[in-house]
Amino acid sequence: MKRHLKLIISLLLVIIIASCTKSVKESEIINLIPVRNGFIFRYVDRQGKIIINPQFKEATVFRNGLALVKLFGSKPRWGFITIDGTFAIKVQYREATIFSEDVAWVVSENGAPQAINSKGDTLFTLKTAKSVRIFKDGLAAFTVAIDSVNVKWGFVDKKGTIRISPQFPAVGDYSEGKCAVTNSAGEWGYIDTDGKISINYQFTNARSFVNGKAIVQSGKEWGVIDDKGKFVISPQF
């Protein structure tokens, strides 16, 4: 079965509960923005001036000084550019993800997912993986095929060690040391970074933790839990 990457873009919901203070993680300042004109991407600065000429089929924002781009061609391929538009990692990959926690995933023609650093060096290859996600909290989710239809999710660290064996029908991403996962009955709970259940399976759906809180669904209604699994806002929405 064809291997593929899943480029995950997470939309984080910020929860404000009767508090005048909040914890904000500083984000990297974005000085160049990918903009599409027709079918071609270019990069402009914050004043709208073109800095990197239109030439890309796909383009992402810069992370740690590198942006993931795809060039046109009979077989479009992915590579990584620097802020001056030169290629730091040449266009050669059939599939690729952005860098997250200094690691990106790439797939060459007929190859398996490889983790690379910002120099393009291969850190390890995950030969059995059908799909992978970017690293969060030092762990990346990946799937292996159970049969022609079903997969199981597990987690690998940045050294290529499988920290949590593939066993979950569905998973979220790690955040604040926890990750939402499902059991065979489709119920959601949370595991810690060792794969141990930290909040029991009980939810219809579950989101990532942000500032010690997570949005969860119970039945048809949504509420908010703390990091112990107790409701701070009962399901009512």
Side-chain angles (χ1 to χ4, degrees):
M1 184 174 293
K2 181 180 177 182
R3 294 185 174 96
H4 61 284
L5 299 182
K6 292 185 177 180
L7 180 60
I8 304 300
I9 301 175
S10 297
L11 300 178
L12 297 180
L13 300 178
V14 180
I15 306 166
I16 303 175
I17 305 175
S19 174
C20 296
T21 62
K22 61 181 178 180
S23 174
V24 178
K25 181 180 289 186
E26 293 296 325
S27 299
E28 184 174 355
I29 296 174
I30 298 175
N31 291 316
L32 292 183
I33 305 166
V35 177
R36 187 172 67 182
N37 184 10
F39 297 100
I40 304 177
F41 277 89
R42 58 188 174 182
Y43 284 86
V44 301
D45 62 17
R46 299 174 78 175
Q47 286 72 47
K49 180 181 177 181
I50 297 175
I51 303 300
I52 302 176
N53 290 327
Q55 58 190 287
F56 307 113
K57 182 179 178 67
E58 300 287 350
T60 71
V61 296
F62 281 86
R63 301 281 296 272
N64 300 119
L66 295 176
L68 173 65
V69 297
K70 178 189 279 189
L71 292 185
F72 289 91
S74 58
K75 291 185 177 181
R77 292 292 183 262
W78 294 91
F80 296 84
I81 61 171
T82 60
I83 57 175
D84 61 2
T86 60
F87 278 92
I89 301 174
K90 68 180 182 178
V91 173
Q92 59 186 302
Y93 303 113
R94 178 169 56 85
E95 298 180 69
T97 72
I98 59 173
F99 275 90
S100 178
E101 299 184 0
D102 301 318
V103 179
W105 291 100
V106 296
V107 175
S108 299
E109 192 68 29
N110 299 318
Q114 293 177 292
I116 64 170
N117 62 21
S118 59
K119 295 180 181 179
D121 300 325
T122 298
L123 302 175
F124 63 90
T125 301
L126 206 55
K127 294 181 179 180
T128 60
K130 181 177 181 292
S131 64
V132 293
R133 292 184 186 169
I134 60 176
F135 279 91
K136 297 288 187 179
D137 279 7
L139 295 172
F142 71 96
T143 62
V144 295
I146 302 303
D147 51 43
S148 60
V149 176
N150 299 299
V151 299
K152 293 290 187 182
W153 289 88
F155 292 87
V156 62
D157 66 20
K158 288 191 274 189
K159 293 182 179 180
T161 302
I162 295 177
R163 291 275 299 276
I164 302 170
S165 62
Q167 59 190 281
F168 305 106
V171 300
D173 293 313
Y174 271 96
S175 176
E176 301 182 6
K178 290 182 174 60
C179 182
V181 298
T182 63
N183 60 16
S184 58
E187 299 170 314
W188 287 84
Y190 290 85
I191 57 173
D192 61 20
T193 54
D194 292 321
K196 298 178 181 179
I197 292 293
S198 58
I199 298 176
N200 289 331
Y201 296 110
Q202 58 189 289
F203 308 113
T204 308
N205 209 331
R207 306 299 191 209
S208 297
F209 275 87
V210 179
N211 294 333
K213 307 291 190 299
I215 298 172
V216 297
Q217 185 181 19
S218 180
K220 296 183 178 180
E221 298 179 321
W222 293 83
V224 179
I225 60 171
D226 63 17
D227 60 1
K228 305 299 182 184
K230 296 182 179 179
F231 278 101
V232 293
I233 299 178
S234 60
Q236 56 187 291
F237 303 107

